Amino acid sequence: MALILIATLGLVTACSATGGRPRSNGSEGGGGGVDTPRYTVAMISHGAPGDTFWDLVRAGAEDAAKKNNLELRYSSSPQAPEQANLVQNAIDSKVDGIAVTMPTVEAIGPAAKKAAEADIPVVGLNAGMDRYKDYGMDRYKDYGLSAFFGQDESIAGERAGERLDKDGAKHVLCVIHEQGNTSQESRCGGIKDGAKGAKVETIYVNGMDLTNVQSTLQAKLSQDKTIDYIMGLVAPVALVGVKAAQAAGSDAKVATFDTNAELVEAIRNGDVQFAVDQQPYLQGYMAIDALWLAKRNGSTVGGGQAVLTGPSFVDKSNVDTIADAAKEGLR
């Protein structure tokens, strides 16, 4: 009887509480990754060469691909027509999934829709979800994207504006480094809405030429001494803004959207007041993870709604929390 009882208990504990198959003890398979079929996925962004933000997005995508036994093909172009061509190239090569940014929805959305119509799972990240003015929060849905990972740029801008207002800003210079990028327009528009006690002025620069960015900002600050805050929309531009203010003899403070390792140090030493963080590593990771889930069992993440990765603030009070990860290229 004792032997029968032991055998019965052993059988029970080998099953899950719901009667399913036993859980794996994690000892099988490929070194911490999955043993599912090898799929090929593409990520096409509008990242410009040298923009460290996209290094973080790509790092997250690569980690998710490694974990999920995926081949990741990453490509980018800051020019909307070329980015649309890269999406078409991914369709032609018959990839198993596509993650795409849509800073210019009308130019890139139709190519993304072609992929969805060809039964290729497509998800969006970073750009393509805008609420400001004529841009609806759900625009990505119009082009067949099943999920979106990022932040609502209008809301992020409004929160940044409220922070600037609280800090006593009176004249904010919002620096758009990619003309025609609706996400950046939404950020500056949100700042205007949030910074009710400040004048918010927009200036356009070429973010791919940081030397020119510095000279343009320096000239503007020398001309107008009332500017007391520079709001960059990406870390490298903000860091150049610090140099421009120093060269112009301006007392303007600097804040920004997004982080990198150098920006973290600038917050630590007080050169940059704060950063609005949308967690680019997380955006890349979740986008690729969602494509694997779509192939694995037809899952959709977020129930068709955007999965928000920001905004949050990084300043002197919490910068040490992400400092080590920033040095490793993960924040």
Side-chain angles (χ1 to χ4, degrees):
M1 288 295 291
L3 290 174
I4 293 172
L5 179 60
I6 292 170
T8 303
L9 288 172
L11 180 62
V12 170
T13 56
C15 300
S16 72
T18 56
R21 68 180 185 180
R23 291 183 180 274
S24 167
N25 60 15
S27 62
E28 306 93 352
V34 299
D35 60 358
T36 51
R38 179 84 167 166
Y39 298 123
T40 299
V41 297
M43 176 175 281
I44 300 103
S45 83
H46 62 281
D51 188 337
T52 54
F53 178 89
W54 296 103
D55 294 339
L56 300 175
V57 173
R58 187 172 182 176
E62 288 173 346
D63 280 357
K66 182 178 180 180
K67 183 200 71 171
N68 292 324
N69 190 30
L70 302 173
E71 177 188 343
L72 173 65
R73 298 177 183 174
Y74 179 89
S75 58
S76 67
S77 174
Q79 305 300 323
E82 178 58 26
Q83 190 187 355
N85 288 337
L86 291 172
V87 175
Q88 185 61 54
N89 291 343
I91 297 171
D92 295 340
S93 63
K94 301 185 186 304
V95 298
D96 297 296
I98 295 174
V100 64
T101 67
M102 296 195 298
T104 311
V105 178
E106 294 80 2
I108 301 159
K113 190 172 184 178
K114 284 184 183 179
E117 290 173 345
D119 293 326
I120 299 174
V122 185
V123 300
L125 69 151
N126 182 259
M129 181 190 68
D130 301 295
R131 183 178 287 169
Y132 183 62
K133 291 184 178 178
D134 297 329
Y135 304 108
M137 184 174 178
D138 298 328
R139 296 198 78 202
Y140 63 91
K141 294 181 183 178
D142 296 336
Y143 298 98
L145 278 64
S146 62
F148 186 93
F149 306 95
Q151 69 181 0
D152 185 311
E153 301 293 6
S154 296
I155 291 176
E158 190 170 347
R159 297 294 177 269
E162 291 169 355
R163 174 78 177 249
L164 292 169
D165 198 49
K166 184 178 179 180
D167 288 352
K170 298 301 179 185
H171 186 173
V172 179
L173 188 64
C174 191
V175 187
I176 292 181
H177 60 276
E178 292 174 0
Q179 193 162 357
N181 185 326
T182 57
S183 295
Q184 294 184 20
E185 296 284 354
S186 294
R187 287 181 179 182
C188 287
I191 289 170
K192 288 180 181 179
D193 292 340
K196 300 186 184 301
K199 172 185 176 182
V200 179
E201 182 179 356
T202 300
I203 188 171
Y204 294 88
V205 298
N206 179 2
M208 291 185 288
D209 184 352
L210 292 178
T211 301
N212 184 261
V213 172
Q214 181 174 339
S215 62
T216 300
L217 294 180
Q218 183 178 332
K220 180 65 176 177
L221 293 169
S222 297
Q223 172 193 351
D224 191 345
K225 296 296 185 180
T226 68
I227 296 170
D228 58 1
Y229 244 110
I230 300 169
M231 192 71 205
L233 302 186
V234 69
V237 169
L239 292 167
V240 164
V242 172
K243 296 177 181 178
Q246 292 170 347
S250 170
D251 293 329
K253 296 178 181 179
V254 179
T256 189
F257 286 72
D258 306 328
T259 65
N260 61 23
E262 189 177 357
L263 195 283
V264 164
E265 289 305 312
I267 291 175
R268 271 178 158 172
N269 63 33
D271 287 339
V272 174
Q273 303 305 304
F274 66 85
V276 184
D277 185 22
Q278 61 176 307
Q279 303 186 95
Y281 175 94
L282 186 61
Q283 291 178 8
Y285 186 95
M286 293 184 73
I288 297 304
D289 216 28
L291 292 177
W292 177 78
L293 287 167
K295 291 297 295 184
R296 175 65 167 160
N297 59 8
S299 292
T300 58
V301 180
Q305 303 302 310
V307 178
L308 299 181
T309 62
S312 61
F313 287 98
V314 178
D315 56 25
K316 271 191 173 183
S317 70
N318 62 4
V319 67
D320 288 339
T321 305
I322 70 165
D324 290 341
K327 288 177 181 177
E328 295 177 21
L330 302 177
R331 287 294 294 264

